[in-house]
Amino acid sequence: MFLPQIIGYGVLTLAVLKLIQRRASRKAIALNVAGPEKDHWFKGNLESMFVDGFDRCLKVAADYGGAVKIHGLFGEEWLYVSDPRAFHYILVKEQHIFEENDIFLCCNQLMFGEGLISTLGEQHRKQRKMLNPVFSTSNMRELLPIIQTVSHQLKSVLVANLSDHTSVEFDVLPWLSRSAVDCICEGILGYHSNAIDIGNDNEYIEALRMLGPYISRTILFQRYVPMVMRNLSLYWRKKIVDWLTTSWLPTQTMKDFRELRRIVGVTDSASRIIFQEKKAALGRTGSLTSSQSSLETRGKDIMSIMLKSNASSSEADRLSDAEILGQMNVMIFAGLETTTAAVGRTLYMLAKHPHIQERLRAEINDAVIAYQSSDVYSHANDDSGSVRLSYDALMSLPLLDAVVRETLRLYPSLPVLSRRTTEATSLPLQFPVRSASGDEIGAVPLAENHRLVISIVAANHNKAVWGEDASDWKPERWLNASQGDTPGVKNGVRYTGVYSSMMTFLAGSRSCIGFKFAEMEIKDVLATLLPDIHLALPSEPDENRMVKEIHWGMTGFFAPVVKPPAGDDETPQLPLSMRLVQK
């Protein structure tokens, strides 16, 4: 028997034994809460809920409440949570009891290093302490001109394909992805990527754009990563990876795994080069401008601020080079897929609701006129013929803010998260649910090492907090907040998120640290495109006389595809009908 086969059978046997042990330990401590029946003996409810399961996720929460028993692999019982008090207990009050699961932590550590999403306890607290000031409002003001340059480049590409009176159907998703790469590289790394130029053949840029999709494609392997890391030495772990990446097995999953390993190698190598160059520049002159930096960045990027802050910190608070490199990789990945999806979804919703689009366009145009007349406006920022709003002017536009908030509420870029309990506890609920026997209960007992699914999407659609129209896209709900009608607060009950009363960016010490950067980027892209470009859903038949119908699948992230027969229901794409706005 060949060595690769021995390794393969050994890993498979280990995985099966672990699953049997876990199932046996769960039988003695069943969840005393109601929930749907298994959909499958092996996959439980996982496929129906988390493989394009947007409607299913909402229905389960609507039918059973904010704490539901669902079935994982081999009948393992998971708790599906969306209750407000339970969220506060898990994410804020007793967050040390509810940690990310081993799969999440181990996979992130292997791909990104020692960043925020792969560390726990004191190490995570130390990293968070150093990074919190980096994303301050004052730093966002300095970064906005960098983002605006990228947004105007995106607009130039789209406008070049349009005419005044003729609508053109255009797949905007690749361009949103490229502009997001430029925003991340310029704003986070201070690296001049120029991804918006398709003639720029850059292996690093293409690897960044492909990282998210290939992580989703190799989700099958992720479940076994913690078992391998805990039970095998580094030597045998490398042997397994080498075997998987050189295996003759012609399966698509194996091909995807090999490609993911190559992509991670490319991104890690390039990040190290950028990091070492900036660090060397700081050591020589105290300046963080490197040969690969954008002239407009000039040390204002997040990485430069982070390096300066770290260098001036005390020895006890200072992060290692590996930790800083980990933060770089995490911020690049976290800001790329999520922002691309958020901008794409917002453009789609505006195309679907033309009256809101027209109102928003008018608001932006009025703001530009008012800003040009203000004392703070400088003609120096009008170098391309387009006025760039100041940070305060951009962030204070009420309808723009309402459109962005409502879209992020209904369609959070990361719909669900996972946690496990580090000790036995009782999870309190805001709204009672039914036990397995049908009794009403206000708390759910949990054993140590029990898995929970935190449903951000179900929380953001909770009618008990958001009202009967919770699943309707209504930006005006945020405009009414000035009249004392606070969205997401009903009878004094609300979610304790860092972004209004929604859970899109979570809460507590593991909330999204870069949400201000993401919000600014989304708003600036909209404020740049809408004055010149009108958006509509596809309406013209293709060569086969089919009109494209867009469907947003929810598997990990939200991603748009075109439904059959006009599309294959698999390839990510966002075709929109666009024309120039008639002035």
Side-chain angles (χ1 to χ4, degrees):
M1 186 176 290
F2 295 105
L3 178 62
Q5 291 174 304
I6 295 174
I7 295 173
Y9 286 129
V11 172
L12 180 61
T13 302
L14 180 64
V16 171
L17 287 174
K18 291 293 182 182
L19 287 172
I20 293 173
Q21 291 173 1
R22 180 174 294 178
R23 186 182 183 189
S25 65
R26 290 288 186 269
K27 280 186 176 180
I29 315 172
L31 272 177
N32 184 30
V33 65
E37 295 294 325
K38 291 181 198 174
D39 298 314
H40 189 271
W41 69 270
F42 170 62
K43 294 178 286 188
N45 307 117
L46 298 188
E47 187 172 57
S48 65
M49 291 189 66
F50 306 123
V51 179
D52 199 12
F54 177 72
D55 292 334
R56 174 76 162 156
C57 281
L58 297 184
K59 184 173 182 355
V60 165
D63 289 347
Y64 295 95
V68 187
K69 178 175 66 178
I70 62 173
H71 300 277
L73 297 179
F74 288 114
E76 182 179 354
E77 295 180 352
W78 295 2
L79 188 66
Y80 180 76
V81 185
S82 58
D83 182 86
R85 183 173 294 168
F87 267 42
H88 179 75
Y89 190 82
I90 295 168
L91 300 172
V92 181
K93 186 178 180 182
E94 301 291 346
Q95 56 185 297
H96 65 283
I97 300 177
F98 301 91
E99 291 183 348
E100 269 93 349
N101 66 70
D102 291 345
I103 298 173
F104 180 84
L105 294 169
C106 292
C107 291
N108 286 335
Q109 187 175 33
L110 286 175
M111 289 185 290
F112 308 123
E114 298 181 50
L116 277 173
I117 61 174
S118 57
T119 57
L120 296 171
E122 181 59 27
Q123 185 182 18
H124 183 274
R125 186 204 63 78
K126 179 180 173 182
Q127 291 179 358
R128 187 88 187 196
K129 178 182 178 182
M130 198 276 284
L131 287 172
N132 274 331
V134 172
F135 287 93
S136 65
T137 299
S138 60
N139 286 338
M140 294 304 103
R141 286 194 178 93
E142 293 292 320
L143 281 171
L144 179 58
I146 300 170
I147 305 304
Q148 288 173 324
T149 297
V150 175
S151 297
H152 279 77
Q153 290 171 342
L154 172 63
K155 182 179 75 172
S156 297
V157 169
L158 298 180
V159 166
N161 292 275
L162 305 179
S163 61
D164 285 324
H165 304 292
T166 305
S167 294
V168 177
E169 189 177 290
F170 204 72
D171 180 12
V172 300
L173 194 63
W175 298 106
L176 298 182
S177 174
R178 290 179 177 277
S179 68
V181 168
D182 280 343
C183 285
I184 290 293
C185 286
E186 299 275 3
I188 300 295
L189 300 183
Y191 170 75
H192 187 50
S193 55
N194 196 25
I196 205 76
D197 180 6
I198 58 173
N200 180 20
D201 188 14
N202 188 315
E203 186 182 31
Y204 177 50
I205 301 307
E206 284 307 304
L208 290 178
R209 294 183 62 232
M210 293 296 104
L211 183 58
Y214 274 94
I215 288 175
S216 297
R217 293 179 195 177
T218 55
I219 197 168
L220 173 67
F221 284 102
Q222 296 175 22
R223 182 172 184 84
Y224 306 107
V225 169
M227 298 181 198
V228 173
M229 291 185 70
R230 281 195 300 263
N231 293 281
L232 297 178
S233 66
L234 180 61
Y235 172 82
W236 286 108
R237 296 204 300 263
K238 288 183 176 180
K239 282 286 185 183
I240 291 173
V241 172
D242 289 340
W243 173 65
L244 287 173
T245 53
T246 58
S247 172
W248 56 268
L249 292 174
T251 63
Q252 186 60 48
T253 303
M254 286 293 185
K255 294 177 183 177
D256 292 340
F257 183 82
R258 289 194 288 271
E259 182 62 12
L260 177 61
R261 191 190 193 196
R262 186 194 70 81
I263 288 170
V264 170
V266 170
T267 57
D268 181 67
S269 177
S271 295
R272 289 177 185 276
I273 292 172
I274 296 169
F275 170 71
Q276 291 299 338
E277 187 170 316
K278 277 188 172 286
K279 187 180 176 184
L282 177 63
R284 287 194 305 268
T285 63
S287 168
L288 282 154
T289 301
S290 69
S291 60
Q292 297 184 6
S293 296
S294 165
L295 292 177
E296 190 167 14
T297 303
R298 292 191 299 273
K300 297 176 182 177
D301 57 276
I302 294 296
M303 183 179 169
S304 296
I305 298 169
M306 186 166 54
L307 282 171
K308 290 177 183 177
S309 175
N310 194 56
S312 62
S313 298
S314 66
E315 188 67 31
D317 292 334
R318 195 170 300 158
L319 303 186
S320 66
D321 286 358
E323 288 178 295
I324 294 180
L325 190 62
Q327 312 313 327
M328 288 172 51
N329 293 331
V330 165
M331 286 187 281
I332 293 168
F333 171 70
L336 182 54
E337 293 296 325
T338 55
T339 307
T340 299
V343 174
R345 177 72 81 157
T346 309
L347 294 178
Y348 170 81
M349 297 307 294
L350 290 171
K352 194 175 181 180
H353 300 271
H355 62 293
I356 299 292
Q357 182 184 161
E358 291 301 326
R359 286 175 54 195
L360 182 53
R361 180 176 291 114
E363 179 184 77
I364 295 168
N365 287 332
D366 290 345
V368 168
I369 294 171
Y371 181 57
Q372 284 180 299
S373 304
S374 69
D375 295 334
V376 297
Y377 173 71
S378 169
H379 288 276
N381 78 24
D382 199 9
D383 54 352
S384 64
S386 299
V387 177
R388 301 184 180 190
L389 294 172
S390 68
Y391 178 85
D392 293 320
L394 175 69
M395 302 304 286
S396 63
L397 296 178
L399 184 56
L400 176 61
D401 186 69
V403 165
V404 171
R405 286 180 189 272
E406 185 70 347
T407 306
L408 290 175
R409 179 186 72 84
L410 282 181
Y411 311 108
S413 296
L414 199 59
V416 296
L417 290 172
S418 180
R419 289 288 191 273
R420 67 173 184 87
T421 54
T422 59
E423 61 183 70
T425 187
S426 179
L427 184 66
L429 302 175
Q430 185 75 50
F431 303 106
V433 298
R434 293 292 175 184
S435 70
S437 60
D439 298 325
E440 190 174 87
I441 56 174
V444 181
L446 295 173
E448 180 183 353
N449 205 32
H450 211 115
R451 180 171 296 189
L452 298 86
V453 176
I454 299 174
S455 182
I456 297 171
V457 68
N460 287 354
H461 285 250
N462 190 341
K463 293 182 179 181
V465 174
W466 294 95
E468 289 301 313
D469 60 355
S471 293
D472 297 336
W473 190 75
K474 296 177 63 175
E476 56 268 26
R477 78 173 75 240
W478 298 97
L479 300 177
N480 297 333
S482 59
Q483 303 171 11
D485 184 15
T486 306
V489 180
K490 193 171 183 181
N491 299 323
V493 178
R494 59 168 293 164
Y495 286 94
T496 54
V498 295
Y499 188 60
S500 296
S501 46
M502 68 181 86
M503 295 307 303
T504 300
F505 296 109
L506 286 183
S509 66
R510 300 196 79 91
S511 61
C512 176
I513 200 168
F515 78 91
K516 290 181 181 178
F517 184 92
E519 181 190 23
M520 176 179 69
E521 181 183 343
I522 297 167
K523 288 184 175 182
D524 185 66
V525 171
L526 297 176
T528 303
L529 297 184
L530 287 180
D532 294 294
I533 299 175
H534 178 273
L535 305 162
L537 297 179
S539 58
E540 294 296 323
D542 60 16
E543 61 274 12
N544 298 317
R545 293 184 293 180
M546 301 293 179
V547 176
K548 294 177 180 176
E549 183 180 355
I550 299 167
H551 169 68
W552 286 82
M554 190 193 86
T555 305
F557 300 107
F558 281 106
V561 296
V562 174
K563 297 175 67 173
D568 60 9
D569 206 26
E570 291 183 3
T571 305
Q573 55 182 305
L574 182 57
L576 294 177
S577 179
M578 297 185 291
R579 63 171 171 78
L580 293 178
V581 172
Q582 299 178 19
K583 300 294 183 181

